[in-house]
């Protein structure tokens, strides 16, 4: 239910929001607050993780820029069917963008989603601003997933698994591997359970030989874990008006040829010297969750101890070195 409008601070900007009370017994994200973003779309802030689901510059823009564009769905135009996995579906922006493009180009797909809290999807599909962004067909897919957890027609189908993604990932039949994995969990220092080396290894094993794992995250710990999982890394190229950024995210693939062929399209580039050196600092110490049952605090404490004992370069030295080089 909505409560009176109030204010919160997100990314240095004060925004009007509506407080949304939990209607479930499992209050995973804490209190959820709906707020507008600069591109006219809406997003949600989680009191539990103290983070927004999207940057304030635009939820739709972020999904298009950081997930849809690097997916390059046109490469599947001759495919009989592609397989997509959305880790932390949230409100559904990333998958909805993918659905729109695949449907428009008559590409069949099988989709799986992992999400622990059903409220973000409910908030989205019941919000007129969010609904107005999508075609009727995509709205119907999102509604079916919210209501039944399943959707199908004569060409494509999808299923969402509600619960801890670490455990639900293993519920996906082994015969399924994915051409596209979208990883959009809260940031590693807030939600390390879904960025542990063990979980990332499991995701890497789910990729097809030419599959792509796409994430907004450019943290050294995550990139180092993906590389140890046997994947080749590339950095998402910042937009022209984002020159202060050094990366918009990470693309990880098992096929090096795939990166080489597409690099010239300015969607990604090889890791720069700066980024490679980042992987040699204490920031690259991974998040570890050996049993897949540890809490966020346990994982963070384990990493803190490992960083203290690590012989890797202190990350602040790396920062200072590259600050002088700019």
């Amino acid at each position: 239910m909505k409560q009176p409008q109030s204010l919160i601070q997100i990314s240095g900007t004060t925004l009007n929001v509506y407080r949304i009370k939990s209607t479930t017994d499992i209050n995973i994200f804490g209190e959820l607050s709906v707020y507008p973003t600069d591109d006219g779309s809406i997003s949600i802030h989680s009191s539990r993780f103290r983070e927004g689901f999207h940057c304030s510059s635009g939820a739709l823009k972020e999904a298009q820029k950081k997930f849809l564009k690097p997916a390059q769905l046109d490469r599947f135009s001759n495919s009989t069917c592609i397989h997509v996995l959305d880790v932390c579906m949230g409100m559904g922006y990333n998958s909805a963008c993918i659905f729109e493009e695949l449907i428009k180009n008559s590409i069949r797909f099988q989709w799986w989603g992992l999400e622990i809290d059903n409220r973000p999807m409910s908030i989205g599909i019941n919000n007129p601003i969010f609904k107005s962004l999508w075609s009727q067909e995509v709205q119907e897919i999102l509604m079916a997933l919210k209501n039944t957890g399943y959707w199908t027609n004569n060409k494509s189908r999808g299923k969402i698994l509600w619960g801890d993604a670490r455990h639900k990932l293993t519920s996906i039949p082994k015969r399924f591997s994915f051409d596209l994995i979208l990883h959009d969990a809260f940031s590693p220092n807030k939600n390390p359970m879904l960025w542990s080396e063990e979980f990332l290894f499991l995701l890497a094993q789910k990729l097809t030989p030419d599959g792509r794992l796409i994430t907004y995250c450019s943290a050294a710990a995550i990139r180092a874990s993906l590389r140890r999982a046997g994947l080749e890394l590339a950095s998402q190229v910042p937009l022209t008006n984002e020159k202060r950024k050094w990366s918009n995210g990470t693309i990880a693939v098992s096929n090096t040829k795939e990166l080489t062929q597409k690099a010239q399209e300015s969607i990604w580039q090889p890791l720069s010297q700066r980024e490679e050196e980042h992987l040699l600092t204490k920031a690259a110490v991974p998040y570890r969750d050996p049993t897949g049952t540890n809490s966020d605090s346990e994982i963070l404490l384990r990493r803190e101890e490992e960083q203290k004992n690590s012989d890797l370069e202190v990350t602040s030295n790396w920062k200072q070195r590259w600050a002088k080089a700019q």
Side-chain angles (χ1 to χ4, degrees):
M1 63 181 290
K2 289 183 179 179
Q3 289 184 326
Q5 197 176 48
S6 55
L7 301 175
I8 59 171
Q9 196 81 8
I10 300 176
S11 302
T13 303
T14 301
L15 300 171
N16 290 319
V17 302
Y18 286 99
R19 301 297 184 186
I20 307 294
K21 283 188 175 180
S22 172
T23 56
T24 61
D25 293 330
I26 304 175
N27 196 4
I28 299 298
F29 294 153
E31 188 178 61
L32 297 179
S33 308
V34 178
Y35 63 92
T37 65
D38 293 346
D39 67 356
S41 59
I42 62 163
S43 189
I44 296 173
H45 184 271
S46 162
S47 66
R48 157 83 163 73
F49 291 102
R50 303 182 304 282
E51 246 181 24
F53 281 54
H54 306 90
C55 59
S56 58
S57 61
L60 178 62
K61 179 181 175 183
E62 182 175 330
Q64 293 171 334
K65 178 176 64 176
K66 296 186 178 181
F67 290 93
L68 176 61
K69 187 176 179 181
Q72 292 182 304
L73 296 177
D74 58 311
R75 63 197 172 101
F76 296 112
S77 56
N78 296 321
S79 302
T80 55
C81 183
I82 74 163
H83 294 80
V84 181
L85 173 64
D86 189 345
V87 182
C88 299
M89 185 185 183
M91 298 178 71
Y93 275 101
N94 298 334
S95 281
C97 286
I98 298 290
F99 294 159
E100 291 283 12
E101 197 70 15
L102 292 175
I103 291 169
K104 182 176 70 175
N105 291 285
S106 301
I107 300 172
R108 292 180 60 236
F109 59 94
Q110 289 197 21
W111 175 94
W112 292 80
L114 303 177
E115 183 52 76
I116 198 167
D117 192 327
N118 60 11
R119 290 177 299 151
M121 183 181 284
S122 295
I123 291 170
I125 201 61
N126 288 311
N127 184 287
I129 295 174
F130 180 84
K131 286 175 66 176
S132 70
L133 301 174
W134 317 113
S135 66
Q136 184 62 37
E137 188 168 357
V138 169
Q139 288 183 46
E140 289 172 2
I141 292 173
L142 295 175
M143 184 64 75
L145 290 171
K146 179 186 79 72
N147 291 338
T148 67
Y150 184 77
W151 161 83
T152 186
N153 65 15
N154 60 347
K155 291 183 178 180
S156 303
R157 63 185 58 192
K159 183 175 184 179
I160 190 164
L161 301 177
W162 300 106
D164 189 327
R166 296 175 296 178
H167 310 145
K168 293 301 178 180
L169 180 61
T170 60
S171 299
I172 298 175
K174 291 184 179 179
R175 69 179 183 276
F176 284 104
S177 53
F178 295 96
D179 303 291
L180 197 59
I181 296 178
L182 315 175
H183 192 359
D184 197 15
F186 287 109
S187 59
N189 63 334
K190 299 287 180 66
N191 189 201
M193 290 187 293
L194 299 186
W195 298 101
S196 71
E197 183 148 295
E198 292 80 6
F199 185 68
L200 294 173
F201 271 42
L202 290 175
L203 290 179
Q205 291 168 10
K206 281 290 187 181
L207 281 174
T208 62
D210 293 325
R212 258 176 228 186
L213 186 154
I214 301 172
T215 178
Y216 70 89
C217 185
S218 55
I222 308 315
R223 286 180 166 178
S225 288
L226 290 170
R227 182 169 280 178
R228 280 190 290 271
L231 301 181
E232 298 291 333
L233 305 178
S235 181
Q236 290 198 42
V237 178
L239 298 180
T240 333
N241 61 349
E242 297 176 325
K243 288 298 184 183
R244 289 179 297 172
K245 284 189 177 182
W246 46 281
S247 176
N248 255 338
T250 303
I251 299 171
V253 302
S254 49
N255 186 342
T256 310
K257 185 179 178 182
E258 181 77 2
L259 289 184
T260 308
Q261 288 178 336
K262 300 293 183 180
Q264 70 272 19
E265 297 184 22
S266 299
I267 293 173
W268 63 64
Q269 59 194 9
L271 265 59
S272 64
Q273 183 182 349
R274 174 183 181 177
E275 291 171 295
E276 289 289 357
E277 289 184 13
H278 195 205
L279 302 186
L280 301 176
T281 71
K282 290 180 184 287
V285 171
Y287 298 89
R288 300 190 190 277
D289 180 18
T291 63
T293 60
N294 289 158
S295 66
D296 287 335
S297 57
E298 289 171 328
I299 296 170
L300 290 172
L301 182 60
R302 180 183 290 115
R303 181 170 185 257
E304 186 180 330
E305 289 299 315
E306 189 171 345
Q307 284 179 313
K308 286 178 183 177
N309 298 321
S310 171
D311 293 329
L312 293 171
E313 181 184 15
V314 177
T315 311
S316 58
N317 292 347
W318 166 82
K319 287 182 179 178
Q320 291 172 8
R321 184 168 64 252
W322 282 97
K324 292 177 182 176
Q326 288 182 324

